[in-house]
Amino acid sequence: MAYQTFRQEYLQVPPVTRAYTTACVLTTAAVQLELITPFQLYFNPELIFKHFQVWRLITNYLFFGPVGFNFLFNMIFLYRYCRMLEEGSFRGRTADFVFMFLFGGLLMTIFGLFVNLVFLGQAFTIMLVYVWSRRNPYVRMNFFGLLIFQAPFLPWVLMGFSLLLGNSIIVDLLGIAVGHIYFFLEDVFPNQPGGGRLLRTPSVLKAIFDTPEDDPNYNPLPEERPGGFAWGEGQRLGG
């Protein structure tokens, strides 16, 4: 019974979120079991381009460190905001969501050539948080019961939290920068006078990922509850 319940809940998760979070968990498990080491996964341009270890372009997004608070923090945020994006503004547009992953990953990899970061998964999570927060500007967030603010401030609050913990804010700034570029090109520029859509999902992705009909039994995650930890509970203004 427990297995059937878990399987049902697992399959209820939208496909891109399910695939990415599963890959992250399995990668971390493989490292914990010493089947692989982080040295085989990290982002190293020299090994990628001179020794053709191209898998590093992907694996550096899948490892969030050993199992602990930092890993759980990142996994919860990744799962929550990735799922809410996929079930919210990308509902029925899986190909567009995959394209956002590819565009964000490519841009982040290019920026990664100029900053001293060996794993980009956390920055990618911040990118997802940023895009969600800009597309849900009227959701109120509660941070540890101490701060109440609207969703667009969430990435900056997380950056401040990282600063208080003594962590580098380069990761947060990179995620915010890439998220803003995507949001501007996708949501802002097309609506400007003389603007247009510069980001177009390739037809091959649409043919692979987009399905003609929605599943009538699909149960999306309520976007009114955007948080990962207790500080993430929120509600829409005026609700």
Side-chain angles (χ1 to χ4, degrees), residues 10 15-28 62 75 78:
Y10 179 74
V16 178
T17 301
R18 183 171 66 237
Y20 186 37
T21 53
T22 300
C24 292
V25 171
L26 291 179
T27 300
T28 300
L62 303 180
M75 282 296 97
L78 170 63

Side-chain angles (χ1 to χ4, degrees), residues 114-223:
F114 304 99
V115 295
N116 188 27
L117 292 176
V118 292
F119 291 102
L120 299 173
Q122 187 174 344
F124 193 83
T125 299
I126 296 296
M127 180 198 77
L128 297 175
V129 171
Y130 183 90
V131 174
W132 177 87
S133 69
R134 293 301 301 268
R135 288 183 171 179
N136 295 271
Y138 302 113
V139 174
R140 288 190 299 180
M141 312 296 295
N142 188 332
F143 192 79
F144 281 123
L146 300 175
L147 294 175
I148 297 178
F149 52 89
Q150 290 177 247
F153 292 101
L154 178 59
W156 304 100
V157 171
L158 293 177
M159 185 177 71
F161 186 60
S162 295
L163 193 62
L164 287 175
L165 293 177
N167 299 327
S168 172
I169 62 172
I170 298 298
V171 171
D172 301 85
L173 290 175
L174 178 59
I176 289 172
V178 174
H180 182 73
I181 291 172
Y182 176 82
F183 177 76
F184 178 81
L185 294 177
E186 181 70 13
D187 292 48
V188 179
F189 185 68
N191 299 316
Q192 299 298 312
R197 294 184 63 85
L198 299 180
L199 299 179
R200 296 186 180 276
T201 303
S203 56
V204 62
L205 291 181
K206 290 183 176 292
I208 295 173
F209 293 104
D210 281 353
T211 55
E213 296 181 358
D214 286 340
D215 181 359
N217 298 318
Y218 193 69
N219 183 26
L221 196 67
E223 198 158 336

